[in-house]
Amino acid sequence: MAYKVAVFDAKPYDKDTFNKVNEVYGFELSFFKEHLDRSNVVLAGGADAVCIFVNANVDAYVIDKLCAMGVKLIALRCAGFNNVDIAYAAGKIKVVRVPEYSSHAIAEHTLALMLCLNRKVHRAFIRTRDWNFSLNGFMGFDMYGKTVGVIGTGKIGKTVIGVLKGLGMNILAYDLYPDHAFAEKNDIKYTSLDEIYANSDVITLHCPLTKETEYLICEESIAKMKDGVMLINTGRGKLIHTKHLIEGLISQKVGYAGLDVYEEEGAYFYEDCSDSVLTDDVLARLLSFNNVILTSHQAFFTQEAMGNIADTTFENISDFFAGKEIKNEVVYQAK
Ligand code: NAD
């Protein structure tokens, strides 16, 4: 019997990759363009599993509905699981995720944001197309010898460190659970958040969004940073208090911001909104700075990562229905 999987937030590139990888697994796939939430959970009726992405909103209501309709598994096709109420799901429905698909994809996008901001490539691209070959305002700085603070040294943070060491940058690292063996082997230093804020020319975020990390970057932490600091966020939008970041950009305390995520991204990211009026004033203000680069949660988006995401997602679903051990289950841990 072919198990039925309802794939939400399905774009043409998702369909292509999932259909191709599914040739091996043989699931019955239905694709829905919506990201799963209260308003459309009925679409999952008849499915054995739902496959969801970063902007789904799986709260208690959605979980109850899924269970009532006989859906047995929530398969996240991403690493982060902050958008599912894991505590409420415990004992009701299993949740799996893709913890690793290509830390290189995210690390390389992180580097792209840093270099583009520093050397103003986004502005030069536009300027030269207008036959303006002036360099005014484009002076950058050598990354070599500068200090970068890496917050979160899991799979992605460690890959970022490897890449930035290649540029000859000094690394300061912070993690709730420091990996001292990694630090020794790679000659990097774990330190406190305050030390990172005080000493880093560039700060890059690679920790998950949790109650502890929500608005980690806010008025208070920004005040402790070096003048003109470059902030990079390829983690999750709510790691940064966007209005406080905007204040920092206006006062020029923050010199550059490279953002692949935004706290209210669910309403816009992955959609073509070019025919509508932008009603989010915070996003509009953010997009008005020429020292801000915003990408639409695309750090993961490489051929290799997409293939690995589909493969691990189908393997998770397959293992679950085969009654095998599910190694990528998201298990609720009561504090
Ligand atoms: P990981 O689990 O391997 O690493 C996360 C690290 O953060 C761990 O070392 C953990 O100890 C640390 N951490 C947890 N709480 C912390 C805290 N309060 N302060 C500091 N460190 C803390 O995860 P990963 O694969 O490296 O991914 C990191 C994050 O990147 C994910 O949670 C996800 O939100 C984000 N991500 C974004 C994209 C994208 O396309 N932009 C893609 C994948 C992942």
Side-chain angles (χ1 to χ4, degrees):
M1 180 186 94
Y3 288 101
K4 294 183 177 130
V5 181
V7 183
F8 283 80
D9 228 336
K11 298 285 182 282
Y13 45 82
D14 295 305
K15 288 184 196 171
D16 289 349
T17 311
F18 273 73
N19 279 329
K20 186 160 185 294
V21 177
N22 192 41
E23 285 168 15
V24 178
Y25 290 88
F27 291 112
E28 196 178 313
L29 304 180
S30 325
F31 293 101
F32 300 101
K33 63 179 182 344
E34 296 80 0
H35 42 78
L36 178 64
D37 64 19
R38 290 171 174 227
S39 69
N40 56 42
V41 60
V42 289
L43 295 172
D48 299 297
V50 290
C51 173
I52 62 168
F53 199 43
V54 288
N55 290 322
N57 186 2
V58 182
D59 58 11
Y61 178 92
V62 173
I63 290 168
D64 282 341
K65 282 277 179 201
L66 290 175
C67 293
M69 292 189 301
V71 177
K72 302 201 175 43
L73 184 69
I74 299 170
L76 284 148
R77 56 178 192 277
C78 53
F81 49 86
N82 50 284
N83 54 342
V84 178
D85 188 338
I86 299 299
Y88 191 78
K92 298 185 185 73
I93 188 166
K94 296 266 188 200
V95 182
V96 290
R97 68 179 180 124
V98 183
E100 157 75 346
Y101 42 86
S102 172
S103 54
H104 301 288
I106 293 96
E108 289 168 17
H109 192 75
T110 302
L111 180 68
L113 290 173
M114 287 178 191
L115 293 179
C116 192
L117 279 166
N118 177 9
R119 306 306 296 269
K120 285 91 175 167
V121 177
H122 56 304
R123 295 179 61 197
F125 176 84
I126 295 168
R127 208 180 266 190
T128 53
R129 262 159 184 67
D130 195 31
W131 289 89
N132 179 350
F133 301 99
S134 143
L135 296 183
N136 291 334
F138 282 1
M139 193 183 290
F141 58 85
D142 285 6
M143 301 287 278
Y144 176 83
K146 296 294 182 302
T147 297
V148 56
V150 179
I151 301 181
T153 58
K155 292 175 286 297
I156 296 170
K158 285 187 173 106
T159 309
V160 166
I161 288 171
V163 167
L164 297 180
K165 274 180 71 78
L167 294 180
M169 297 190 80
N170 305 315
I171 315 282
L172 294 176
Y174 173 79
D175 197 293
L176 213 49
Y177 307 100
D179 183 342
H180 293 296
F182 171 82
E184 200 171 319
K185 193 167 164 217
N186 291 279
D187 195 22
I188 62 153
K189 189 180 162 206
Y190 275 105
T191 181
S192 65
L193 280 173
D194 278 353
E195 288 254 334
I196 286 198
Y197 298 149
N199 296 303
S200 301
D201 303 291
V202 178
I203 295 176
T204 183
L205 307 177
H206 303 289
C207 53
L209 175 62
T210 61
K211 283 200 179 69
E212 294 74 38
T213 60
E214 183 172 323
Y215 296 145
L216 181 71
I217 305 303
C218 60
E219 189 179 13
E220 198 187 340
S221 48
I222 289 172
K224 296 176 183 170
M225 293 176 193
K226 277 180 130 174
D227 290 346
V229 64
M230 179 188 289
L231 286 176
I232 304 289
N233 187 10
T234 59
R236 283 290 180 270
K238 270 203 171 162
L239 296 175
I240 296 185
H241 193 299
T242 316
K243 285 185 179 165
H244 293 181
L245 171 64
I246 288 170
E247 291 306 318
L249 285 158
I250 291 170
S251 69
Q252 298 179 35
K253 178 77 183 172
V254 177
Y256 316 77
L259 310 170
D260 188 47
V261 285
Y262 166 59
E263 53 178 307
E264 301 298 336
E265 69 181 48
Y268 305 99
F269 281 23
Y270 303 131
E271 305 305 329
D272 179 356
C273 305
S274 56
D275 274 338
S276 50
V277 172
L278 179 53
T279 53
D280 181 332
D281 287 347
V282 176
L283 181 58
R285 185 67 178 103
L286 208 48
L287 289 170
S288 73
F289 296 99
N290 65 6
N291 53 351
V292 170
I293 296 180
L294 182 85
T295 53
S296 185
H297 206 144
Q298 70 173 70
F300 74 97
F301 200 44
T302 65
Q303 293 167 11
E304 292 77 4
M306 286 294 284
N308 292 338
I309 285 170
D311 212 23
T312 305
T313 299
F314 287 142
E315 196 182 326
N316 286 340
I317 299 172
S318 184
D319 285 353
F320 171 78
F321 286 112
K324 291 188 191 165
E325 183 203 354
I326 31 177
K327 50 184 183 299
N328 296 322
E329 183 175 355
V330 182
V331 182
Y332 173 62
Q333 284 163 335
K335 293 261 156 62

